[in-house]
Amino acid sequence: MNPERMIADLEARAQDLARRSEDMQAQINGASATVRSPDGAVTVTVAPNGALQHIEFSPRAADFSHVQLGQAVMAAVRRAQAQAARQVASIVEPQFGGTQAMDFLTSFIPQEEEPPTPPPPPAEEGSVLRQVAWDAPAPQPPVPPRRPSSHRRDDTDDDDGFGTVLR
């Protein structure tokens, strides 16, 4: 084969690879995932790397305790991160599918959890902790064991009347 022809082929392949790489990079940069919680209280958007970009609360979020709202946010973020990771994998799959690099990339995609069932609205104003405390009998504090009173006042003790430290 002609050396000039070989060099021209290599240059053409390198240019094609660079073009495909730029296209893939642009697609990855444009990838994101937006997820709304099943009850509609929380909507989150994550970047292709899973970083949280936006969070929004609907008026429904006011019905949640702080614990319930935190759980709804984290569940939505995890689902959005899994979706974004699958998007990135589908973008690079045509170029790297069936390779160790692709296997490595897809090994980090979290399994998407089933969306949790929406928590019931609180029965009344207040936190979950207060409801649990009102529903359960108040715990009794433990009674400390009594020490036998064996302390004898000794006139030879220290002047302060507390006795020696080594008793």
Side-chain angles (χ1 to χ4, degrees):
M1 184 170 200
N2 182 347
E4 286 111 22
R5 173 80 179 160
M6 240 165 105
I7 291 172
D9 286 346
L10 287 174
E11 285 177 349
R13 289 168 69 191
Q15 288 174 354
D16 182 52
L17 183 60
R19 181 191 50 76
R20 287 186 298 170
S21 177
E22 288 172 2
D23 290 347
M24 193 171 20
Q25 187 175 7
Q27 288 178 325
I28 290 171
N29 286 337
S32 68
T34 299
V35 170
R36 179 176 299 219
S37 62
D39 49 36
V42 178
T43 303
V44 298
T45 301
V46 299
N49 65 354
L52 185 61
Q53 290 181 315
H54 181 75
I55 187 166
E56 187 175 315
F57 299 102
S58 75
R60 171 88 171 95
D63 296 336
F64 285 34
S65 71
H66 64 285
V67 173
Q68 292 169 324
L69 189 56
Q71 291 170 340
V73 167
M74 290 308 298
V77 167
R78 282 190 297 272
R79 287 181 41 228
Q81 288 170 333
Q83 284 183 13
R86 282 193 301 279
Q87 279 184 20
V88 169
S90 70
I91 291 168
V92 300
E93 199 275 329
Q95 297 302 315
F96 298 103
T99 65
Q100 287 181 345
M102 188 66 188
D103 293 342
F104 178 75
L105 176 70
T106 57
S107 71
F108 290 100
I109 297 176
Q111 297 298 317
E112 188 167 346
E113 303 170 358
E114 288 292 317
T117 58
E124 60 184 72
E125 191 76 25
S127 75
V128 172
L129 297 177
R130 186 176 311 139
Q131 290 175 357
V132 169
W134 284 339
D135 293 343
Q140 298 298 322
V143 177
R146 291 185 175 223
R147 295 181 117 187
S149 178
S150 64
H151 179 67
R152 296 178 302 155
R153 176 133 163 88
D154 188 356
D155 289 336
T156 61
D157 283 346
D158 295 338
D159 292 333
D160 57 10
F162 292 112
T164 64
V165 177
L166 298 175
R167 275 193 200 223

